[in-house]
């Protein structure tokens, strides 16, 4: 064995370590990390022989890591589609959190709102370092319990949608969505090319055949006026708003905009305004060619929704059939996390991903600053590389706090901690899902040429990935991940 599965792993096992555990406390307005205690002085850390890594943040200088939560998965499925077509995606389109979000986790679901947990394991290629996993899960909601839905479907009908099967993928996704809705739900549909037009007035799903016929009639046309399409779609959504029902805009597009307002900032301005009124945007990307990843991801962020990429009929089924309620029902609004590291125990840390979701530390408890929306039954994960001074300490070296607004608009905070002695001594001793997340993080690091790619070979990554299916009962998503790892490392 080599690398992750050989001598370096043996070195990691020599460390003292742990089960994945942490103490958890909940409550509204609980005291946690943030501006309220940012001025508390830390004890001077003891001198350590551990060299300061230039890739890591020194907690003595900045002990807090703050970001808005994100449940997007589009970056991973776009990567999967690219590999299937013998292509690659630009490193700037690789978002680690979206890769990790795609896979099942093992967090306990809270009874309401959001729950938070923290666990960790020694990194075999850097034995003094830990991979720390901050896991956030939302309460599930049954389809029977959800409010009726009013959906404004905004469909890109531009000429570029005629390429690479984009329009057929769009129709498949829409048919799947419509088939999964209740007869008491309503949909309307806007089609945009050079101009935007209404192709289906708001219609009850008791008239499902008429809705499906309108979908069948969609066809690629001329240029792409995305701003006009979204403006008309939001107008339709506003006209559909009814007390006791939820209103959503669902955009399906390749993200290209070449006429009308083409600047992303201009297109985003109205989206952000409408999101504050409770109309969330679900951004659905299609098509491996001529694709604007940045616009579609940012539309979802500004629209207080989430971004997915549909590459297969099975993915459409996963998002719009099996996971329909989780696609529509918001479990927590303006959600953000703040992770605090103890400088006496930590010499450096690095958040993997969330580059687009960073927040100022002082805004953690400022609810006027927009956070992220977490939909029902979803999980989101933040991974950190953490350099410890003392792996045997029983005192918490990290505290993770999530803050969000509940249905009444009240702020809720929940926290969890982790001590060095509670970290697994190696990935093999950790939770199988934490091992899975390590493989995903190593993959994204390799795709972007990150700091781990110089010390973990493709052979090492493949060897670690190959252990996952047996540990996770043949999870088909994980089996597919192993195949993708093989394809990009050989």
């Amino acid at each position: 064995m080599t690398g992750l599965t050989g001598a370096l792993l043996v070195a990691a096992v020599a460390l003292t370590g742990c089960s994945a555990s942490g103490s958890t406390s909940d409550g509204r307005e609980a005291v946690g990390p943030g501006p309220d205690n940012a001025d508390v002085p830390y004890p001077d850390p003891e001198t350590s022989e551990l060299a300061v890594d230039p890739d890591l943040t020194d907690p003595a200088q900045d002990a807090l890591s703050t970001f808005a939560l994100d449940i997007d998965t589009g970056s991973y499925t776009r990567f999967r589609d690219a590999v299937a077509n013998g292509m690659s995606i630009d490193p700037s389109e690789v978002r680690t959190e979206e890769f990790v979000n795609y896979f099942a986790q093992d967090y306990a679901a809270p009874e309401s709102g959001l729950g938070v947990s923290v666990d960790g394991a020694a990194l075999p290629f850097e034995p003094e370092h830990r991979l720390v996993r901050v896991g956030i899960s939302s309460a599930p909601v049954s389809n029977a319990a959800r409010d009726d839905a009013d959906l404004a479907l905004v469909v890109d009908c531009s000429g570029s949608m005629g390429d690479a099967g984009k329009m057929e993928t769009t129709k498949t996704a829409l048919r799947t969505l419509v088939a999964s809705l209740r007869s008491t739900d309503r949909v309307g549909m806007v089609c945009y090319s050079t101009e935007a037009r209404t192709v289906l007035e708001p219609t009850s799903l008791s008239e499902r055949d008429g809705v499906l016929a309108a979908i069948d009639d969609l066809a690629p046309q001329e240029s792409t006026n995305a701003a006009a399409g979204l403006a008309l779609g939001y107008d339709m959504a506003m006209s559909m708003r009814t007390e006791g029902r939820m209103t959503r805009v669902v955009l399906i597009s390749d993200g290209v905009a070449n006429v009308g307002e083409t600047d992303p900032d201009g297109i985003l301005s109205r989206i952000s305004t409408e999101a504050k009124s409770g109309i969330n945007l679900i951004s659905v990307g299609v098509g491996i060619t001529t694709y604007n990843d940045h616009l579609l991801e940012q539309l979802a962020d500004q629209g207080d929704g989430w971004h997915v990429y549909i590459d297969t009929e099975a993915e459409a089924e996963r998002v719009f059939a099996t996971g329909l309620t989780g696609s529509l029902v918001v479990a927590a609004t303006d959600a953000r996390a703040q992770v605090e590291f103890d400088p006496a125990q930590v010499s450096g840390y690095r958040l993997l991903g969330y580059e687009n979701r960073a927040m100022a530390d002082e805004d953690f408890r400022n609810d006027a600053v927009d956070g992220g929306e977490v939909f029902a039954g979803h999980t989101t994960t933040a991974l950190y590389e953490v350099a410890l001074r003392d792996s045997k300490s029983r005192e918490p070296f990290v505290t993770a706090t999530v803050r969000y607004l509940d249905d009444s608009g009240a702020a809720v905070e929940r926290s969890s901690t982790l001590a060095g002695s509670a970290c697994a001594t190696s990935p093999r001793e950790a939770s199988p899902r934490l091992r899975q997340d390590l493989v995903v993080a190593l993959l994204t690091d390799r795709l972007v040429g990150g700091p781990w790619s110089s010390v973990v070979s493709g052979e090492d990554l493949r060897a670690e990935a190959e252990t996952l299916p047996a540990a996770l009962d043949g999870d088909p998503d994980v089996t597919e991940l192993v195949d993708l790892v093989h394809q990009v490392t050989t």
Side-chain angles (χ1 to χ4, degrees):
M1 294 188 295
T2 60
L4 289 176
T5 55
L8 290 176
L9 203 66
V10 173
V13 173
L15 297 171
T16 301
C18 70
S19 62
S21 64
S23 61
T24 304
S25 62
D26 359 295
R28 298 187 179 187
E29 297 300 339
V31 176
D36 292 357
N37 61 1
D39 295 331
V40 176
Y42 290 103
D44 292 333
E46 296 179 3
T47 303
S48 170
E49 295 180 359
L50 187 64
V52 176
D53 189 322
D55 293 317
L56 305 183
T57 298
D58 182 353
Q61 303 299 319
D62 182 4
L64 300 173
S65 171
T66 309
F67 54 92
L69 298 190
D70 190 341
I71 63 167
D72 295 354
T73 59
S75 181
Y76 176 73
T77 44
R78 180 158 161 73
F79 159 74
R80 181 176 68 187
D81 197 18
V83 174
N85 285 277
M87 303 167 64
S88 61
I89 63 174
D90 190 278
S92 66
E93 297 178 14
V94 175
R95 292 182 289 276
T96 297
E97 70 276 14
E98 296 187 21
F99 275 58
V100 176
N101 282 346
Y102 186 84
F103 296 90
Q105 301 293 341
D106 51 6
Y107 315 136
E111 292 185 4
S112 63
L114 303 181
V116 58
S117 63
V118 190
D119 61 354
L123 288 172
F125 51 88
E126 195 72 69
E128 296 88 357
H129 291 200
R130 300 292 177 271
L131 179 70
V132 171
R133 178 176 66 154
V134 176
I136 297 161
S137 56
S138 62
V141 176
S142 70
N143 190 52
R146 73 166 172 84
D147 291 337
D148 288 332
D150 293 329
L151 307 182
L153 309 177
V154 180
V155 184
D156 186 344
C157 295
S158 63
S160 65
M161 292 292 286
D163 300 336
K166 295 178 189 178
M167 184 55 75
E168 285 310 308
T169 300
T170 295
K171 291 182 177 182
T172 295
L174 289 173
R175 292 186 192 110
T176 302
L177 171 59
V178 167
S180 304
L181 292 169
R182 301 193 299 231
S183 60
T184 49
D185 296 327
R186 293 189 300 167
V187 299
M189 187 160 57
V190 168
C191 176
Y192 69 88
S193 55
T194 304
E195 297 178 346
R197 60 190 177 91
T198 299
V199 295
L200 179 72
E201 294 290 346
T203 302
S204 168
L205 265 296
S206 61
E207 302 176 42
R208 202 176 305 266
D209 289 346
V211 176
L212 291 172
I215 293 171
D216 290 340
D217 288 341
L218 295 172
Q221 297 174 25
E222 300 170 331
S223 299
T224 316
N225 194 333
L230 283 165
L232 185 56
Y234 272 97
D235 287 343
M236 176 180 286
M238 288 294 292
S239 73
M240 296 171 77
R241 291 192 69 176
T242 306
E243 186 72 25
R245 300 171 68 92
M246 56 182 172
T247 308
R248 305 287 181 260
V249 173
V250 181
L251 168 68
I252 303 188
S253 173
D254 61 8
V256 176
N258 54 25
V259 295
E261 176 64 76
T262 59
D263 177 61
D265 291 338
I267 296 173
L268 293 171
S269 60
R270 182 178 180 185
I271 306 303
S272 180
T273 300
E274 300 291 0
K276 291 178 173 61
S277 69
I279 299 179
N280 302 86
L281 173 70
I282 300 164
S283 163
V284 182
V286 295
I288 197 63
T289 60
T290 55
Y291 185 82
N292 188 335
D293 170 79
H294 175 72
L295 176 61
L296 291 173
E297 190 254 347
Q298 286 298 302
L299 283 172
D301 287 351
Q302 294 297 319
D304 285 349
W306 61 303
H307 171 55
V308 296
Y309 178 91
I310 303 293
D311 57 338
T312 63
E313 186 172 342
E315 185 64 16
E317 182 80 13
R318 189 183 76 89
V319 172
F320 289 132
T322 307
L324 176 66
T325 298
S327 298
L328 300 177
V329 178
V330 177
T333 61
D334 279 331
R336 69 282 307 271
Q338 187 163 82
V339 182
E340 182 174 21
F341 297 92
D342 178 5
Q345 298 189 68
V346 175
S347 64
Y349 67 89
R350 175 172 70 100
L351 173 61
L352 311 181
Y354 286 94
E355 289 86 357
N356 294 342
R357 305 295 274 160
M359 295 181 67
D361 295 335
E362 59 269 23
D363 287 335
F364 178 63
R365 292 192 174 93
N366 181 359
D367 297 322
V369 176
D370 190 39
E373 271 50 46
V374 179
F375 286 66
H378 281 260
T379 62
T380 185
T381 301
L383 300 176
Y384 288 86
E385 178 182 6
V386 180
L388 288 182
R389 300 180 187 278
D390 179 6
S391 64
K392 300 179 182 180
S393 173
R394 297 183 179 276
E395 294 298 317
F397 68 85
V398 58
T399 300
T401 301
V402 62
R403 180 183 176 92
Y404 62 93
L405 304 182
D406 66 13
D407 291 340
S408 70
V412 180
E413 290 188 15
R414 291 175 175 167
S415 297
S416 185
T417 64
L418 180 69
S421 60
C423 288
T425 57
S426 76
R428 302 302 170 86
E429 300 301 320
S431 154
R433 291 297 181 185
L434 178 55
R435 290 167 57 186
Q436 159 198 285
D437 295 342
L438 172 60
V439 169
V440 173
L442 288 169
L443 171 62
T444 59
D445 184 84
R446 188 174 186 84
L447 293 174
V448 302
W452 291 347
S453 61
S454 62
V455 294
V456 178
S457 69
E459 180 183 2
D460 296 336
L461 176 52
R462 289 192 300 274
E464 189 66 14
E466 287 166 359
T467 69
L468 294 178
L472 290 164
D473 298 323
D475 180 336
D477 290 334
V478 172
T479 300
E480 181 179 64
L481 170 66
V482 176
D483 182 60
L484 291 170
V485 167
H486 272 265
Q487 291 187 64
V488 301
T489 59
T490 56

